[in-house]
Amino acid sequence: MSGDRPFISFRWVLLSLLLFVAAEIVIGLGLGELVAGRYMSIGTSFWIRGSTQLLAFFLGGIVVGVISPGVRILEPALAAFSAVLLTVVTALFVPYAFARMGGSRLATAGFIAFGLALAGAWIGERLSGGLKD
């Protein structure tokens, strides 16, 4: 690593976070067209919504790995963890039960998001040639 390049690019953390939001919207629009107006249980709806977010972390990580200059693997992972944290912080202002999410559940969700984005970024870097064997 060169001395003039920071270890973590907070610009790419922010860009990754914005990319996750965009990816979730695009995926959600596609799934919305698929399931709109059809009956489904609340459990199935919850599963689809949660899967959309998880898929956005993974695919967003791939995109960041492909388009970012240099090797950017930790940035999407940190952004994914931050997205979970921001969701909980935002939930403090709404009257929903998940606002009372405990620390262990927050950590578990954050590390799952971190791992998915990390794996996606690693794949993206491999695809773009940023990481060699």
Side-chain angles (χ1 to χ4, degrees):
M1 180 167 118
S2 69
D4 59 341
R5 183 176 155 243
F7 181 67
I8 299 290
S9 168
F10 290 102
R11 177 176 172 237
W12 277 98
V13 172
L14 180 60
L15 289 171
S16 297
L17 186 60
L18 295 173
L19 183 66
F20 294 149
V21 172
E24 189 173 346
I25 290 169
V26 169
I27 294 165
L29 287 172
L31 285 175
E33 289 296 319
L34 179 68
V35 297
R38 293 176 170 69
Y39 171 79
M40 73 176 66
S41 68
I42 192 166
T44 301
S45 174
F46 184 75
W47 182 83
I48 289 172
R49 290 170 189 262
S51 296
T52 299
Q53 191 172 34
L54 296 174
L55 188 58
F57 291 141
F58 180 70
L59 294 177
I62 291 174
V63 171
V64 170
V66 169
I67 68 170
S68 64
V71 176
R72 299 284 175 216
I73 295 178
L74 286 177
E75 287 82 347
L78 291 172
F81 190 90
S82 298
V84 171
L85 183 61
L86 288 171
T87 300
V88 173
V89 169
T90 303
L92 294 173
F93 298 97
V94 295
Y96 293 116
F98 78 98
R100 293 183 297 272
M101 183 180 219
S104 64
R105 290 181 70 191
L106 170 62
T108 301
F111 286 119
I112 289 170
F114 183 95
L116 286 169
L118 186 73
W122 184 83
I123 290 169
E125 289 293 347
R126 295 283 301 199
L127 289 172
S128 70
L131 292 177
K132 306 287 188 233
D133 287 332

